[in-house]
Each structure stands twice: as C-alpha cells, then as structure tokens.
Amino acid sequence: MIGDWLDIGSVNQITPGNARTLPVRGGEEIAIFRTLGGEFHALVNRCPHKHGPLSQGIVHGGVVTCPLHNWNISLKTGEALGEDKGCVPVIPLKIDAGRIFLLRSAVMGQLAA
C-alpha cells in the first residue's frame, strides 16, 4: 500500500489484450485490463446490460466486448458504446515502477455498491 493507493501487483501479471480480476470482500469484483497498446484500465467486472463478466470479454483498442451479448464498453469511461445505453463504474488506476495501483476510496466504494 502507498497512501491512498492499493498495490495490486506487477504489470507483468496481465498480458497485453487480456484481463485479470480482483475480488473485493463484501463488494463487486474488479476487472483490470491491459490493452494491446499497453494501457491499463480497471472497471467493475459486470456489463451494464445483463451483468456479464467483462474480464472474459475481448479487448480491442480501448474497448471490451461483453462475452454474453456483444455490448461494447469503453475501458476509459465505462460507457456502453453505439446504440446501447448503460455504464459500469471505472476504478482509477495508476502504474508506478512496474506496479499497478488502484485508488483505495474507489475500491472501498465497491463495498457500498
């Protein structure tokens, strides 16, 4: 832990184009994505449509496609794209010295969700 940020591990634990999940005791699971371009994003691991596990979706560009009904979700905003409507919470994330950090207050906010 560093201040307001939670160290959740090395960037190397997520290969480009994939995701890992972080369980939150008493809250919603968080999905951490690494794009093919090397960007990292964190979202609550549920599609706003039918709550499909976004971590099992296909990552392309800055988007993840839900594995259940092919909704496209922006990894930056959590918003459904195209004609679909809905949003999934985004968890602020930063990379420092090869480590992934999530904003503690946002993770803890998932406990109240």
Side-chain angles (χ1 to χ4, degrees):
M1 292 187 290
I2 297 176
D4 294 334
W5 296 88
L6 298 171
D7 182 345
I8 62 163
S10 169
V11 296
N12 295 326
Q13 66 184 322
I14 307 173
T15 57
N18 288 298
R20 292 283 191 158
T21 58
L22 177 70
V24 177
R25 185 180 296 171
E28 294 195 71
E29 188 173 66
I30 296 172
I32 298 98
F33 298 90
R34 183 175 185 176
T35 68
L36 291 174
E39 294 180 350
F40 287 83
H41 303 277
L43 304 173
V44 168
N45 191 25
R46 64 170 164 74
C47 179
H49 177 223
K50 297 278 186 177
H51 299 179
L54 294 175
S55 62
Q56 295 178 25
I58 297 171
V59 177
H60 48 100
V63 175
V64 61
T65 299
C66 179
L68 293 185
H69 299 99
N70 296 322
W71 276 39
N72 289 315
I73 309 298
S74 167
L75 292 172
K76 289 185 180 178
T77 66
E79 294 278 344
L81 302 174
E83 307 228 349
D84 299 321
K85 301 294 178 207
C87 187
V88 61
V90 174
I91 309 299
L93 174 151
K94 71 175 185 177
I95 305 296
D96 186 17
R99 307 287 298 177
I100 302 168
F101 294 87
L102 298 180
L103 186 61
R104 178 190 313 271
S105 61
V107 173
M108 300 307 285
Q110 295 311 307
L111 297 174

